Each structure stands twice: as C-alpha cells, then as structure tokens.
Amino acid sequence: MFKVLFQSRADAFTNWGGDTTQMQMSKKYLEKLGCSVEIDLTVKPDLSSKRFDVVHVFNVQTADHGLQQVENAKAYN
C-alpha cells in the first residue's frame, strides 16, 4: 500500500481555506485509489516510527511552518 503524509499549517481545520479543501479532496480520492493517507499539522512530527512513500506539504508560502515541515521530512529521507 502506498503511504502518504499530508502536512499543512496548524490552523488548517479551524481557519478553513483553499489549501484545506485541496488537502481533504486529495485525501479522499487517493484513498479511493487504495492509498493510505495521514494528515499531520505539527511542524516537526517524529517520522522515525512511520515510513511514508511521499510527504506532501501544503501551503509552503508560510515559511514559519512550511519550510520547517519540508526540512523535517528531508531529515527522515
């Protein structure tokens, strides 16, 4: 099974925006294709115990979170 991690800003579900809609719809349709999709809104989740094939960071224009999420994912390969 293809495992995907979606990351976005911490307030994605309390301050709904287009990025949240895109994330939710992408999750819905990837799961229909048989993918496992998790959503994490923290800046630096511990990815050592979970292996993902892809980490997709939404809303990267917010450097305070997006850049840190990208760097964190890269640290876990």
Side-chain angles (χ1 to χ4, degrees):
M1 177 183 297
F2 200 74
K3 293 178 72 176
V4 180
L5 175 65
F6 284 168
Q7 289 198 273
S8 190
R9 56 193 166 79
D11 66 347
F13 293 112
T14 57
N15 187 16
W16 201 277
D19 58 331
T20 309
T21 300
Q22 182 183 13
M23 184 171 58
Q24 288 292 91
M25 296 304 289
S26 296
K27 180 180 187 298
K28 175 182 175 179
Y29 287 102
L30 283 172
E31 288 175 339
K32 283 187 177 189
L33 293 172
C35 296
S36 169
V37 181
E38 290 185 36
I39 295 175
D40 186 289
L41 304 180
T42 63
V43 175
K44 293 186 178 183
D46 179 6
L47 302 178
S48 62
S49 64
K50 295 184 178 183
R51 299 298 302 165
F52 294 97
D53 298 297
V54 173
V55 176
H56 181 94
V57 179
F58 290 83
N59 207 7
V60 295
Q61 69 266 22
T62 56
D64 56 330
H65 288 100
L67 182 58
Q68 291 179 54
Q69 290 169 328
V70 168
E71 289 174 346
N72 186 63
K74 284 176 63 177
Y76 288 98
N77 293 319

